[in-house]
Amino acid sequence: MIARSMQRNGLILAAFAVVATLLVMLTARLTAEPIAREQQRELLQVLNQLIPPQAHDNDLYASCRLIDDPALAASPTPMYLATQNGEPTAAAFEVVAPNGYSGGIRLLVAINWDNTVAGVRTLKHQETPGLGDKIERRKSDWITSFNGMTVTGPDDQRWAVQRDGGVFDQFTGATITPRAVVQAVARTVSKFKRNKDQWLQQTTACGGQSS
């Protein structure tokens, strides 16, 4: 009798577990598309801040292609190409600064076709609140200090925080974070200068289809 009761209770618990798992899976499927749409909307908003509509006449999101370069990110990373009358005017890259204080810092780096920085924004990070989070535009204007700059060569010493002899401010109590961002942006600009014509021919679209 006791054995049957335990078996019945076990079956009930197992049924509840199955139902709960199915509900979680269903919820995930129902919310995945709206979340993806919201992420796309937020990304487009940032893209249009860095590459304003008057600088291009194409759909930046639809013009995305994947760039496989470990210096930018560990896996193939999106490049959003801006064009006007069919000619490239700028490109924006989702890159990762791997050496942040609390891990990788995901950035959006926009570069004009003349190799000057159009703008940089922080997309995701886990840096210390009140210290490293000054890389966020809503917390500080520090991230705008890249605007208009370019990398003149591998010995361009401006591309460092002031403590390291460069021109970029460091944060009080948080030098590692801005140093990581400066290095990542400098790498991206340098890579862009060397490879932009080759990347322009890249045909692997971000959706995984050849364009």
Side-chain angles (χ1 to χ4, degrees):
M1 191 92 170
I2 294 176
R4 288 182 180 176
S5 178
M6 291 179 64
Q7 184 179 22
R8 184 172 62 253
N9 289 340
L11 290 172
I12 291 173
L13 288 173
F16 273 120
V18 170
V19 171
T21 301
L22 290 174
L23 285 173
V24 169
M25 293 174 62
L26 179 60
T27 301
R29 290 190 64 179
L30 290 175
T31 58
E33 189 173 338
I35 289 174
R37 284 200 302 267
E38 178 61 19
Q39 290 175 336
Q40 177 180 340
R41 187 193 66 79
E42 291 177 356
L43 178 61
L44 280 171
Q45 187 176 35
V46 178
L47 278 170
N48 285 319
Q49 290 175 7
L50 302 184
I51 307 176
Q54 59 267 29
H56 64 94
D57 56 15
N58 66 314
D59 184 332
L60 293 177
Y61 201 83
S63 300
C64 178
R65 56 198 68 187
L66 291 177
I67 302 300
D68 191 1
D69 192 318
L72 303 183
S75 57
T77 190
M79 177 184 80
Y80 304 93
L81 181 66
T83 61
Q84 199 160 51
N85 298 320
E87 295 297 322
T89 57
F93 302 83
E94 291 186 40
V95 305
V96 176
N99 52 335
Y101 183 78
S102 300
I105 301 170
R106 194 157 66 93
L107 304 166
L108 186 67
V109 179
I111 308 170
N112 296 312
W113 213 251
D114 65 2
N115 304 322
T116 59
V117 176
V120 181
R121 290 294 185 273
T122 303
L123 298 178
K124 186 177 181 181
H125 72 91
Q126 295 178 307
E127 301 301 280
T128 307
L131 294 173
D133 64 352
K134 292 186 180 71
I135 57 175
E136 295 180 34
R137 181 64 183 89
R138 64 191 181 93
K139 298 288 182 68
S140 164
D141 63 358
W142 179 87
I143 200 74
T144 64
S145 57
F146 298 100
N147 295 1
M149 292 194 65
T150 190
V151 177
T152 58
D155 58 348
D156 191 341
Q157 298 180 0
R158 297 173 304 157
W159 285 84
V161 295
Q162 291 176 355
R163 178 176 293 181
D164 299 335
V167 301
F168 295 94
D169 292 338
Q170 61 261 356
F171 307 150
T172 302
T175 302
I176 293 174
T177 301
R179 179 185 289 137
V181 173
V182 170
Q183 291 172 350
V185 177
R187 280 196 303 272
T188 306
V189 176
S190 296
K191 284 285 185 175
F192 177 78
K193 288 181 68 174
R194 291 197 298 269
N195 300 298
K196 63 181 179 182
D197 292 330
Q198 175 187 338
W199 289 346
L200 191 60
Q201 307 305 316
Q202 177 59 257
T203 58
T204 305
C206 292
Q209 302 297 322
S210 294
S211 57

